[in-house]
Amino acid sequence: MLTRVLCALGLTLLAALPAAAQLTDNFSDGDFTANPAWTGDATSFQVTAQQLQSNGPAVTGTQLQLVTPVQAVTGTVWEFWANLRLATSGGNLADVWLISEQADLKASGNRGYFVRLGGTPDEVALFRKDATGSGTYVINGADLTLSSSTNNLVRVRVTRSTAGAWNLERDLTGGTTYVSEGTATDNTYQRSQYVGVLLTYSSANNRSFYFDDFRVSDTNAPLLSSATPQSGTQLDVLFNEPVAANTPASAFRLASGATATSAVRDANDPGLVHLTFAGTFPLGQSTLEARNVVDLFGNVASGPLTATFSYSGTPIQPGPNQLLITEILADETPQVGLPASEFIEIYNPSATNPLDLAGVRLTKAGASSAAVFAAGATLLPGEYAVVCASTRTAQFAAFGKVFGLTNFPSLTNAGDQLLLRGRDGRLIFEVNYADTWYRDNSKKDGGWTLEMVDTGNPCGGMDNWLASTDASGGTPGRQNSVRASNPDRTAPALLRAVAATPTLVRLQFAEKLDSAQAANPALYSLGSGGPAVQRASPVPFDFRSVELTLAAPLTVNQPYTVTVQRATDCVGNAAGPATSGTLALPSVAARGDVVINEILFNPRTEAVDFVELLNRSDKYIDLQGWTITRVRPDSTLDSRVIITDAYVLAPGQLAVLTSRPDVVQAQYPSSNDPAAFLPALTLPTFPDDAGSVVISNAQGLRIDRFDYSEDMHLALLDTRDGVSLERLRPDGPSRGANFHSAAGSVGYATPGRRNSQFLAESANSQQFAVEPEVFTPDDDGQQDYTTLRYNLDAAGYAASVTVYDAQGRLTRRLVRNETLPTTGFFQWDGLTDSSRKAPIGYYVMLIELYKPGGGSKKEYKKTVVVGARL
């Protein structure tokens, strides 16, 4: 039996992208959705008699498409059989794409090559599709080749040599006695992701297209196209086709004998390899030799393949992290000593290589325009320069080299993401600064710059930036005042894994990753029971996230363990041998699944509020789009979105919401868990005396509400500032009786950790039970209160609970005629009715229980002891 195969041959199987492969497909198994998988308008195709047949809507002007991943581009033969059982015309034709950059063949910006069957000339022709326009002839086949109105049978073979020479052949009997339609040379596009078919038809021809015997083969070894120095030690090597991702550095050496120390395939162009050498290239011409380089199909270029390049020490175009932003003034007022104008400082960290800045673009993430460095702009090794608006250049002339740029971006005081891009669009440097990086509230208010601490740690983020300590407010054009050794020796940690959709998993790491390394899907696994990872896509521009595309959908609410075999940060620290995390496809939250577990509404001076959520259900729940709301006394609402990205809470997991995670963590250094903090958000203003907090999901369903009051705090506290209210029982109601002041022994709050006043579920089945029978109300977090639990045989009972001392004197009216559910509890904090601490000794709880419907009363007595720690 003939089979369908989509595989990368030889040693490159694990190294290749999952889309890379040779193709053989004759549809003999009656299926086009697997081995290989053709995707697109799949519901509009079917397999009939072991042939792929169109079966789309009978609507004139319809276009249908199917594609399957193939990356073969040069030294390649494409073959297929087709039968168009219709009269071809401008509205009835088939385009068979041999090379396509996109999965959407209809996209106006797609680029590649296709064979057209039919069209107005009724021809078999080869076209090139550019980003604009509908197509340009490469080989114009003879007109009226497909002239039948019912049976246009043809087998097509297209060959492209490694030199870019195309040959288009066809056999109108469907056999292999080919006749050439012509030859041509075209090397415009050297990269591909897909092959596919794109059909256009009128209503009567929706089932008239048949295809079979697709075959794509590449038996040619890769060729070395060029070698281009990016610095004195870095060389970009370009091949004529994609090569294996694990091509070793030892495959590359200079004719002088120097061997590359690292080789990294580009994340976006699999035919481009970035080489690094230990020593600086000699001046003048050098020759690179490559041996035993393997393409995605197992073809080995034993070599040596050679390419010459020249290094003159003249300015070179900067590559990643070869041009840095090292200082930022976003808030220029009040003026301290620097010009009252926004600026950034750039720096060339190389000791030997001057940089050619011509065409380098400075922009903000998401901006439609950029500030572009003019021709002739250079930055010498170790040199700093000020970059500002073109109208402000004169203000900075005294600080040394200044680049005044048109369209200099406006810098937001609170924070922005700034990007430097090369003239080819490649990302050179990214910094996503925030005013929290100052760590100094007075300097944050304006006039002071943010400075990079260690230029050898360009990806350090917040940990590598501080407020300037220079008396003038900054150090534009010279070494930073905060400069110090601050190397990154920590491997990137996996913070969380989230199922964004059934087939898309997002991994969040603690620091920036090497995007080229992170793009290898073989590094990721969801375990033996999980679907395979098809594609790994580092998320620009800070590359702290990686999106994994899965081969099959996840099952709702089923936990999976995602394992990362190796994660490498942008300075080369690698995590190994594996790091892992748990994820699950979330289910829909119901009311009460997530509850308010802790709230700080009266923070200390210079501190901030926080609200802690608890997932008390057995579900995995996504908080994306949820809101936190303050209900004002006039019933108006002040709502804020908790998080805009997917963020899944596991059963029992906590999430802390606050505007300043760093401040909350500093206020409670031994009683917080940083991993539980969501990204900073602007909380509603919660009054110190009383208020209402509401949590709602993305559809507006109220999930939980808590009406708090400062009177819920323990009356014995010297101050309530900085003391949170904690939920006692996770499964209890969101009412004041189920909350208590956090214990002083833990610092009066536990953001992200189990509550200090946590009350475990009791196994006691008595109608009334006191736990503990001896308690010490001293706010140390250990038996600070006692709980009277009840377990009734029916709903509707009413009860009063009164506490008496050993002499029978009234101590506390705890409950007065309160209607009870079948189970619950009352809490006594050891205070009298006058809010004083009850003396040490024995006490009796008198419980008066009234039957539903006004029936008889029963009385119960429980003994409890108020003690003290010696």
Side-chain angles (χ1 to χ4, degrees):
M1 176 181 291
L2 294 176
T3 60
R4 293 192 285 167
V5 178
L6 182 60
C7 65
L9 300 179
L11 300 176
T12 63
L13 177 62
L14 294 178
L17 292 173
Q22 288 175 301
L23 171 70
T24 301
D25 199 345
N26 63 6
F27 307 101
S28 60
D29 62 357
D31 181 18
F32 64 87
T33 62
N35 300 319
W38 294 76
T39 59
D41 300 316
T43 58
S44 294
F45 288 87
Q46 63 188 27
V47 176
T48 304
Q50 299 186 3
Q51 293 177 345
L52 182 68
Q53 180 189 5
S54 61
N55 187 26
V59 178
T60 296
T62 295
Q63 286 191 309
L64 303 178
Q65 64 177 342
L66 280 182
V67 297
T68 191
V70 175
Q71 288 187 278
V73 284
T74 64
T76 302
V77 179
W78 294 266
E79 301 171 79
F80 62 89
W81 178 97
N83 192 353
L84 277 58
R85 299 179 184 178
L86 49 83
T88 63
S89 65
N92 290 277
L93 56 90
D95 290 339
V96 180
W97 282 73
L98 314 178
I99 291 175
S100 175
E101 292 183 348
Q102 300 184 35
D104 184 2
L105 305 179
K106 308 172 190 176
S108 60
N110 193 24
R111 304 186 302 179
Y113 299 91
F114 62 85
V115 173
R116 174 157 291 173
L117 304 179
T120 302
D122 302 325
E123 64 187 346
V124 178
L126 177 65
F127 283 79
R128 184 186 75 239
K129 171 65 172 62
D130 300 318
T132 58
S134 57
T136 302
Y137 278 112
V138 176
I139 298 174
N140 186 357
D143 293 353
L144 302 178
T145 301
L146 305 179
S147 57
S148 172
S149 61
T150 59
N151 188 43
N152 289 297
L153 179 64
V154 64
R155 187 182 294 271
V156 176
R157 180 170 68 186
V158 181
T159 304
R160 187 189 195 186
S161 73
T162 54
W166 294 85
N167 185 18
L168 172 63
E169 301 173 286
R170 48 78 176 171
D171 183 343
L172 298 182
T173 68
T176 57
T177 306
Y178 291 107
V179 175
S180 178
E181 286 284 355
T183 61
T185 299
D186 190 307
N187 271 319
T188 306
Y189 301 119
Q190 298 283 330
R191 299 292 178 259
S192 178
Q193 293 295 329
Y194 300 93
V195 300
V197 295
L198 175 62
L199 313 181
T200 303
Y201 60 79
S202 55
S203 59
N205 297 319
N206 63 312
R207 294 169 55 85
S208 300
F209 296 84
Y210 293 79
F211 297 93
D212 205 350
D213 295 341
F214 283 93
R215 180 176 177 81
V216 181
S217 56
D218 176 359
T219 58
N220 290 271
L223 299 177
L224 180 54
S225 301
S226 65
T228 305
Q230 300 300 310
S231 72
T233 58
Q234 294 178 311
L235 194 65
D236 276 2
V237 180
L238 185 66
F239 290 88
N240 69 321
E241 63 175 311
V243 296
N246 61 352
T247 302
S250 59
F252 303 94
R253 55 170 286 174
L254 300 182
S256 61
T259 302
T261 57
S262 74
V264 178
R265 192 179 69 175
D266 189 83
N268 299 313
D269 184 351
L272 178 63
V273 180
H274 306 295
L275 301 182
T276 301
F277 289 80
T280 303
F281 302 131
L283 295 178
Q285 194 172 77
S286 296
T287 299
L288 175 74
E289 299 176 352
R291 291 176 171 81
N292 298 318
V293 177
V294 185
D295 68 11
L296 298 185
F297 315 106
N299 302 306
V300 182
S302 55
L305 307 178
T306 61
T308 59
F309 65 93
S310 181
Y311 178 68
S312 62
T314 55
I316 63 170
Q317 298 178 39
N321 292 326
Q322 291 178 335
L323 176 65
L324 310 179
I325 296 174
T326 51
E327 191 167 3
I328 301 168
L329 181 64
D331 188 355
E332 68 274 27
T333 57
Q335 189 173 4
V336 175
L338 299 175
S341 183
E342 296 177 351
F343 75 89
I344 67 167
E345 175 189 80
I346 57 175
Y347 172 63
N348 177 0
S350 171
T352 58
N353 297 311
L355 299 179
D356 178 6
L357 303 185
V360 170
R361 293 176 287 164
L362 168 66
T363 186
K364 298 200 300 186
S368 58
S369 61
V372 183
F373 287 79
T378 60
L379 198 62
L380 299 178
E383 187 177 25
Y384 296 86
V386 172
V387 182
C388 61
S390 58
T391 57
R392 306 297 178 93
T393 305
Q395 297 183 29
F396 293 96
F399 297 97
K401 182 172 286 189
V402 182
F403 295 106
L405 305 183
T406 303
N407 292 327
F408 181 83
S410 175
L411 307 180
T412 304
N413 296 347
D416 256 325
Q417 189 173 30
L418 301 179
L419 310 174
L420 287 173
R421 289 187 173 277
R423 68 180 67 167
D424 60 356
R426 185 167 55 165
L427 185 66
I428 296 174
F429 182 76
E430 178 271 348
V431 59
N432 194 1
Y433 73 88
D435 59 7
T436 55
W437 291 14
Y438 280 93
R439 300 181 182 87
D440 186 314
N441 287 335
S442 62
K443 291 182 178 181
K444 183 186 75 170
D445 287 339
W448 294 84
T449 67
L450 279 172
E451 295 182 345
M452 182 183 285
V453 176
D454 187 349
T455 57
N457 181 15
C459 306
M462 179 178 180
D463 294 335
N464 198 40
W465 288 76
L466 286 172
S468 177
T469 58
D470 192 88
S472 68
T475 56
R478 56 191 171 94
Q479 180 175 301
N480 289 341
S481 62
V482 300
R483 184 165 183 168
S485 177
N486 184 35
D488 177 6
R489 296 192 177 97
T490 304
L494 178 62
L495 295 180
R496 67 182 64 91
V498 174
T501 72
T503 56
L504 184 66
V505 168
R506 184 175 292 113
L507 306 182
Q508 180 72 34
F509 291 85
E511 57 181 313
K512 295 182 183 180
L513 302 178
D514 182 322
S515 59
Q517 297 278 3
N520 183 0
L523 297 177
Y524 310 94
S525 169
L526 268 71
S528 58
V533 177
Q534 280 189 329
R535 185 178 296 108
S537 304
V539 179
F541 295 99
D542 65 359
F543 298 114
R544 293 173 184 264
S545 300
V546 178
E547 291 187 343
L548 306 181
T549 302
L550 307 181
L554 301 171
T555 301
V556 174
N557 223 38
Q558 175 180 328
Y560 298 85
T561 299
V562 59
T563 301
V564 185
Q565 292 300 327
R566 184 179 68 258
T568 306
D569 65 20
C570 78
V571 295
N573 298 309
T579 181
S580 63
T582 301
L583 63 90
L585 187 63
S587 27
V588 178
R591 183 167 290 159
D593 281 348
V594 176
V595 293
I596 297 162
N597 193 55
E598 185 176 1
I599 179 171
L600 177 69
F601 53 85
N602 49 352
R604 303 178 184 121
T605 304
E606 301 297 327
V608 294
D609 297 348
F610 74 79
V611 175
E612 180 188 78
L613 306 182
L614 166 68
N615 179 3
R616 65 178 183 181
S617 73
D618 59 358
K619 305 174 184 176
Y620 288 81
I621 296 174
D622 188 1
L623 300 184
Q624 184 175 25
W626 283 35
T627 57
I628 181 170
T629 300
R630 172 199 171 193
V631 183
R632 299 188 182 96
D634 61 359
S635 297
T636 59
L637 306 179
D638 180 9
S639 299
R640 309 297 168 90
V641 175
I642 291 173
I643 190 167
T644 56
D645 297 326
Y647 190 98
V648 177
L649 276 187
Q653 186 178 349
L654 301 169
V656 182
L657 317 179
T658 180
S659 61
R660 292 289 302 274
D662 58 322
V663 171
V664 174
Q665 292 168 26
Q667 288 281 322
Y668 306 98
S670 61
S671 303
N672 76 82
D673 182 0
F677 283 75
L678 269 65
L681 72 149
T682 303
L683 286 178
T685 300
F686 295 119
D688 290 352
D689 55 348
S692 298
V693 187
V694 175
I695 301 297
S696 303
N697 68 7
Q699 291 71 44
L701 174 68
R702 190 183 79 188
I703 302 297
D704 192 33
R705 172 172 176 156
F706 178 48
D707 298 322
Y708 69 84
S709 166
E710 63 177 348
D711 294 337
M712 296 175 185
H713 275 299
L714 182 65
L716 295 177
L717 291 171
D718 294 331
T719 178
R720 297 165 181 173
D721 293 346
V723 183
S724 71
L725 283 177
E726 296 180 326
R727 178 181 288 266
L728 299 179
R729 277 180 47 187
D731 61 341
S734 294
R735 297 201 303 264
N738 195 31
F739 282 79
H740 194 282
S741 301
S745 60
V746 298
Y748 295 106
T750 54
R753 291 192 174 181
R754 174 171 156 166
N755 289 347
S756 62
Q757 303 293 7
F758 176 82
L759 180 60
E761 186 66 32
S762 173
N764 199 320
S765 60
Q766 298 180 37
Q767 189 173 26
F768 292 97
V770 174
E771 297 178 10
E773 294 180 348
V774 178
F775 71 108
T776 55
D778 52 11
D779 196 36
D780 64 351
Q782 303 293 320
Q783 298 179 336
D784 285 335
Y785 53 87
T786 189
T787 302
L788 175 64
R789 301 179 187 267
Y790 56 85
N791 188 355
L792 306 177
D793 58 6
Y797 281 97
S800 294
V801 180
T802 308
V803 182
Y804 297 91
D805 66 12
Q807 285 73 42
R809 292 172 297 194
L810 175 64
T811 300
R812 179 75 177 270
R813 295 179 178 88
L814 197 61
V815 178
R816 310 312 298 165
N817 298 319
E818 183 170 324
T819 302
L820 308 181
T822 55
T823 61
F825 68 94
F826 301 114
Q827 171 200 146
W828 183 35
D829 55 12
L831 299 184
T832 67
D833 278 342
S834 58
S835 296
R836 296 180 178 178
K837 184 176 179 180
I840 296 173
Y842 285 89
Y843 291 83
V844 174
M845 288 186 174
L846 175 63
I847 305 158
E848 300 172 278
L849 186 66
Y850 304 90
K851 287 187 175 180
S856 61
K857 179 183 73 172
K858 288 187 176 181
E859 292 186 351
Y860 304 85
K861 293 180 181 180
K862 292 292 179 180
T863 302
V864 64
V865 177
V866 175
R869 298 189 183 276
L870 301 179

